Amino acid sequence: DARVTQTPRHKVTEMGQEVTMRCQPILGHNTVFWYRQTMMQGLELLAYFRNRAPLDDSGMPKDRFSAEMPDATLATLKIQPSEPRDSAVYFCASGEDREFGYTFGSGTRLTVV
Amino acid sequence: AQSVTQLDSQVPVFEEAPVELRCNYSSSVSVYLFWYVQYPNQGLQLLLKYLSGSTLVESINGFEAEFNKSQTSFHLRKPSVHISDTAEYFCAVSEFGNEKLTFGTGTRLTIIP
């Protein structure tokens, strides 16, 4: 089965450090999402892209977060500087069309201490 | 704006008993509806979806959900649960003309042997 690959699976970092999370969407999928999951807030949409163009990043704190798709095989989510409140599981998802459903990666569990 | 409410954060059920997980949505336009399942330490997987046509949709593992427009609901049901159904279940909504998926806060289904 085709999979969405996220790296790293786990990341522990100190407050103030830069964090980069990577996502390899399924080949041929032209829509890519970044979600954040916490116990308190549940699943929050941070940003999404269609054909590599950012369509909506209104859910992302712009002062410290940035999301890019340098090419069709890579999406990145950066946090600089990181803060303890950024601790969460970050999911990437990709799809051709929501009617077929989106495929989620296994997530990056980020802990900022 | 679209939103989803899952009133039950946890549902314990005895094995082989029936279960219903409730989902209500809010939107000013027509919507697509989804149920996703998340097993421990994994990403979300599409369980079933309502796009159009028959209001009763089924999954391959015995779950079903019924779209009720008048009650703005999309409850998930299974007549007889198994230990392997232990997971967190998320209801999601997507408005026509908008690719964003908005998730509910999830319902943790626990099966009691």
Side-chain angles (χ1 to χ4, degrees), chain A residues 6-108:
Chain A
Q6 290 187 248
T7 56
R9 287 296 309 274
H10 302 273
K11 176 72 175 180
V12 179
T13 191
E14 291 184 347
M15 183 173 61
Q17 295 298 305
E18 177 178 298
V19 175
T20 299
M21 291 169 271
R22 294 176 174 80
C23 167
Q24 181 177 358
I26 292 173
L27 191 64
H29 283 186
N30 56 9
T31 307
V32 176
F33 296 83
W34 283 104
Y35 282 90
R36 175 171 62 184
Q37 185 178 37
T38 61
M39 290 291 292
M40 295 300 294
Q41 301 295 328
L43 277 161
E44 302 172 277
L45 177 64
L46 297 176
Y48 79 99
F49 297 78
R50 187 163 184 89
N51 296 322
R52 295 176 53 204
L55 290 190
D56 189 339
D57 60 2
S58 59
M60 203 164 65
K62 307 250 188 351
D63 57 336
R64 299 184 299 108
F65 284 60
S66 62
E68 296 179 345
M69 278 200 76
D71 61 61
T73 65
L74 177 64
T76 62
L77 180 67
K78 291 185 181 180
I79 309 175
Q80 169 62 22
S82 58
E83 297 180 0
R85 59 179 168 152
D86 301 329
S87 297
V89 181
Y90 291 80
F91 287 105
C92 175
S94 72
E96 295 176 71
D97 189 293
R98 63 192 161 166
E99 296 184 13
F100 302 111
Y102 296 125
T103 302
F104 280 73
S106 298
T108 293

Side-chain angles (χ1 to χ4, degrees), chain B residues 46-79:
Chain B
L46 180 65
L47 185 61
L48 46 75
K49 59 191 176 186
Y50 170 76
L51 303 178
S52 64
S54 172
T55 57
L56 184 65
V57 292
E58 298 176 353
S59 72
I60 58 174
N61 57 352
F63 282 93
E64 63 179 31
E66 186 160 20
F67 170 55
N68 188 318
K69 188 174 182 179
S70 63
Q71 297 186 7
T72 61
S73 68
F74 190 55
H75 301 330
L76 181 70
R77 293 187 287 262
K78 189 171 185 180

